[in-house]
Amino acid sequence: MAIVSSSAGRAESSKTTAKNRLVDAAPLPEDTTAPREDGLRPRRLDDYIGQHELKQVLSIAVQAAIGRGDALDHVLLYGPPGLGKTTMALVLAEELGVKCRITSAPALERPRDIVGLLVNLQPRELLFIDEIHRLTRVAEELLYPAMEDRRLDLTVGKGSTARTRTLDLPPFTLVGATTRAGALSSPLRDRFGLIQRLEFYGIDDLRAIVKRATGLLGLQLNEEACLEIARRCRGTPRIANRLLRRVRDVATVRGVSTLIDAALVDEALSLHRVDGRGLDASDRRLLELLLESHGGGPVGLETLAAALGEDPATLEAVVEPFLLQLGFLQRTPRGRVVTSAGRRHLGWSEQP
Ligand code: ADP
């Protein structure tokens, strides 16, 4: 496992920002436009690796809905980006034998956007709304009767001539996805029959995900190479796929036509400064700054952000969560502190 020294951290410090990182779990343009990328999504529940509890719950709900000939209950999926929420919505539609219409809350700004989607739904179809915590108030209020009574209440006309027209909707399933379940209003949350959290994936599931993707991309990686990607992908399938594509680039350039081994994976990912635990330059810059300039902390978020030239909200939402999850960083009432595990990872002695 590569241990990055403090001097390496300093050397790369001026080059990276927290946006558009190889290890960012949010989708980058290449995640959707890369050739054959869409083919990496599992299509059926049996191909969907990991998330056992989620699969169990949804599999029963799907069978029950099919048995009753009714639409599946509304489903809310929450958890960090890149863990398979959109994929699960598409899998559910496939299992139910219906279409899934995909949109996201920021695309539903005007009332007519959501009305247009709802009135065009066919019986038992799925409507997937990503980032559902960002719905406007008006869109939310249109959804309440639609979700509860399959009814759309439209106001026609203005002022004293305004009247309400009610349209009946076919039975349908709303699948909402969010990274911030706490930001959802409670009336909206209460209208979902199934509320499920997606967890970061364990190493064995990640290894299986990498293995499956190598097959689909026509690559050959040995066991150690798959494990190396699994270790570095931050528990996130989207990142695993992205790292795999970078490994494929290096294999192509080197003309490797045989089995790709862990050394090649290490070469490819080191080139992108993704270390043995999946930390990249932005992560290490933050820890290095805390260690070198502040004795490991505590340091307030604003001070850190100013020193790193980042926006505090980006630092908090994009860089810190993974460091917290690994136990390399702690948030205390007095500020951020590097833990002894964090110190060790960067090659510092455990005690300040
Ligand atoms: P989210 O909607 O949670 O941000 P996505 O559903 O878009 O995440 O997943 C990102 C990518 O990760 C997908 O394109 C898919 O290839 C892969 N993926 C996600 N979950 C799984 C899984 N359980 N098994 C295999 N691959 C997965």
Side-chain angles (χ1 to χ4, degrees), residues 25-27 31 37-42 47-51 79-88 128 130 177 179 198 201 205 208-209 212 236-239 241:
D31 293 328
E37 176 56 26
D38 211 38
L40 292 185
R41 279 191 201 280
D47 312 324
Y48 193 100
I49 295 162
Q51 309 288 349
L83 297 191
K85 297 184 286 300
T86 312
T87 306
M88 181 50 88
F128 175 75
D130 204 4
T179 49
L198 279 85
Y201 291 71
D205 288 337
I209 288 171
R212 179 178 170 276
T236 307
R238 176 177 290 132
I239 299 177
N241 289 344

Side-chain angles (χ1 to χ4, degrees), residues 119 145-146 149-156 163-169:
V119 298
D149 303 318
R150 298 165 181 170
R151 198 185 80 224
L152 197 53
D153 295 329
L154 300 173
T155 309
V156 189
R163 42 197 179 86
T164 308
R165 237 187 98 196
T166 298
L167 285 183
D168 288 330
L169 295 171

Side-chain angles (χ1 to χ4, degrees), residues 72-76 146-148 172-176 191-195:
L72 179 72
D73 244 346
H74 303 302
V75 184
L76 179 68
M147 291 173 77
E148 214 160 54
F172 73 99
T173 303
L174 177 68
V175 182
R191 283 171 170 83
F192 287 98
L194 297 156
I195 301 186

Side-chain angles (χ1 to χ4, degrees), residues 98-112:
V98 296
K99 271 197 187 147
C100 179
R101 303 187 186 255
I102 298 188
T103 186
S104 78
L108 302 174
E109 213 167 273
R110 299 161 308 175
R112 70 162 183 250

Side-chain angles (χ1 to χ4, degrees), residues 174-194:
L174 177 68
V175 182
T178 180
T179 49
R180 300 179 51 208
L184 230 66
S185 73
S186 53
L188 183 58
R189 198 170 42 237
D190 293 347
R191 283 171 170 83
F192 287 98
L194 297 156

Side-chain angles (χ1 to χ4, degrees), residues 232-245:
R232 297 186 184 204
C233 70
R234 303 161 84 103
T236 307
R238 176 177 290 132
I239 299 177
N241 289 344
R242 204 183 284 150
L243 298 184
L244 187 59
R245 286 199 296 269

